[in-house]
Amino acid sequence: MQQPVVHAFFEPQSFTYSYLVWDPQSKEAAVIDPALEFDATSGSIGTSLADQIIAQVKQHNLTVQWLLETHVHADHLSAAPYLQQRLGGRTGIGSRITEVQQLFSQVFNLKQLKTDGSVFGKLFANGESFMLGTICCAVLHTPGHTPACVSYCIGDAVFVGDTLFMPDYGSARCDFPGGDAATLYRSVQRLYKLPDATRMFLCHDYKAPGREQFVCETTVAAQKQQNIHLKQGTSEQDFVAMRSSRDKTLSMPKLLLPSVQVNVQAGQLPQAEDNGTVYLKLPVNLFC
């Protein structure tokens, strides 16, 4: 199995991992789930993590071919437009993004948003393949956390977004609009059919109790053997009961409202108004 080089970047505000992945032969690269920093108190946006990615691209003389999103994130703004302006590359996301756009265009009354996914450069169908230099890549639809979640298999590595966390932390919540615990269970079973040695890279880590360091990489085998929510042999019924009960105790992500309305538009901020200022919307009493 071909082995890409993987470099992880951690954004501590949202506990997000972004990845720079490249083929060591051709130096062709992909960026996965790039994050901006956003201060909801002041409305200010930061590019520290994105700038680290740019520095690594230049240091290794890479050519960015892809800016890939595993799903519409609810905890950070995408840095894809910022990186695309500076590095090039084509944006990509799963084809079911249209369902998420249709939903949130109504939530935020985004009349200008085309809900056909065309704001992204490429909509990947389930099972679709592409090349990163000499490395074979494939896209698996892995919905459940959201309807449009995908995982990217790049050589011997798979990038699963929010579908799973580290084995000692478990699985993603399924109570966002369009989420479904039974669907997530079935998506994870598809991931567990990958070779046991497949390196699995996660979009978040929150440090399970007793663990002192943040970690972003595990394996398919470790997840099957050790995941506290979804180890091999866990029944769908038991998982759905656990996940549904747990989700009822979780608070809404702090940056969901600013993040989603930007990320359904491939990370593009709204147009500045006639005073030159960009504004985000805050629906009142909608999610009580």
Side-chain angles (χ1 to χ4, degrees), residues 236-286:
E236 180 176 323
Q237 181 179 5
D238 287 346
F239 173 74
V240 170
M242 179 283 301
R243 189 70 263 172
S244 300
S245 175
R246 180 174 172 81
D247 286 349
K248 291 176 182 178
T249 70
L250 301 177
S251 59
M252 188 170 173
K254 294 179 180 179
L255 296 183
L256 185 147
L257 294 176
S259 296
V260 169
Q261 63 186 289
V262 171
N263 293 338
V264 293
Q265 303 183 79
Q268 297 177 15
L269 294 170
Q271 292 291 322
E273 298 193 10
D274 55 11
N275 63 353
T277 300
V278 172
Y279 294 91
L280 297 176
K281 292 184 175 182
L282 181 66
V284 176
N285 289 334
L286 188 61

Side-chain angles (χ1 to χ4, degrees), residues 101 104-106 108-116 118-119 261-262 264-265 268-271 279-281:
Q101 288 179 322
F104 284 104
S105 67
Q106 297 176 24
F108 292 103
N109 197 29
L110 301 174
K111 296 179 180 179
Q112 81 289 354
L113 174 63
K114 293 182 179 180
T115 59
D116 59 0
S118 59
V119 68
Q261 63 186 289
V262 171
V264 293
Q265 303 183 79
Q268 297 177 15
L269 294 170
Q271 292 291 322
Y279 294 91
L280 297 176
K281 292 184 175 182

Side-chain angles (χ1 to χ4, degrees), residues 31-275:
V31 180
I32 301 176
D33 291 334
L36 293 172
E37 299 84 38
F38 182 72
D39 183 350
T41 304
S42 66
S44 62
I45 290 174
T47 62
S48 174
L49 183 143
D51 290 335
Q52 293 174 48
I53 294 174
I54 293 170
Q56 284 289 314
V57 168
K58 293 180 178 179
Q59 178 180 335
H60 294 284
N61 297 312
L62 306 177
T63 301
V64 173
Q65 300 291 337
W66 290 102
L67 301 161
L68 302 174
E69 304 284 4
T70 56
H71 64 295
V72 169
H73 301 274
D75 45 31
H76 67 264
L77 277 64
S78 172
Y82 178 82
L83 292 175
Q84 190 174 42
Q85 289 178 356
R86 291 155 179 80
L87 299 174
R90 189 180 184 191
T91 57
I93 200 167
S95 59
R96 293 184 65 186
I97 181 60
T98 56
E99 299 174 35
V100 179
Q101 288 179 322
Q102 290 162 12
L103 172 64
F104 284 104
S105 67
Q106 297 176 24
V107 169
F108 292 103
N109 197 29
L110 301 174
K111 296 179 180 179
Q112 81 289 354
L113 174 63
K114 293 182 179 180
T115 59
D116 59 0
S118 59
V119 68
F120 293 88
K122 171 66 177 177
L123 303 186
F124 288 104
N126 183 39
E128 186 168 353
S129 61
F130 63 99
M131 299 296 294
L132 184 66
T134 65
I135 298 177
C136 298
C137 309
V139 181
L140 295 179
H141 282 200
T142 47
H145 175 59
T146 80
C149 289
V150 298
S151 296
Y152 296 101
C153 300
I154 302 178
D156 75 334
V158 61
F159 300 82
V160 300
D162 289 9
T163 302
L164 286 169
F165 300 132
M166 288 299 294
D168 60 2
Y169 204 88
S171 60
R173 64 193 298 169
C174 298
D175 59 336
F176 292 158
D180 182 76
T183 301
L184 181 68
Y185 178 91
R186 295 164 195 163
S187 293
V188 171
Q189 303 315 305
R190 288 195 291 276
L191 289 171
Y192 284 179
K193 291 180 180 178
L194 295 172
D196 280 354
T198 302
R199 295 181 291 162
M200 182 179 288
F201 293 91
L202 317 172
C203 191
H204 296 285
D205 186 44
Y206 304 99
K207 283 198 302 188
R211 176 156 53 85
E212 297 182 357
Q213 295 184 336
F214 291 105
V215 185
C216 65
E217 179 181 351
T218 182
T219 65
V220 168
Q223 292 283 27
K224 290 195 295 187
Q225 296 165 8
Q226 303 167 20
N227 189 284
I228 61 171
H229 294 166
L230 266 170
K231 66 177 60 174
Q232 202 164 37
T234 302
S235 71
E236 180 176 323
Q237 181 179 5
D238 287 346
F239 173 74
V240 170
M242 179 283 301
R243 189 70 263 172
S244 300
S245 175
R246 180 174 172 81
D247 286 349
K248 291 176 182 178
T249 70
L250 301 177
S251 59
M252 188 170 173
K254 294 179 180 179
L255 296 183
L256 185 147
L257 294 176
S259 296
V260 169
Q261 63 186 289
V262 171
N263 293 338
V264 293
Q265 303 183 79
Q268 297 177 15
L269 294 170
Q271 292 291 322
E273 298 193 10
D274 55 11
N275 63 353

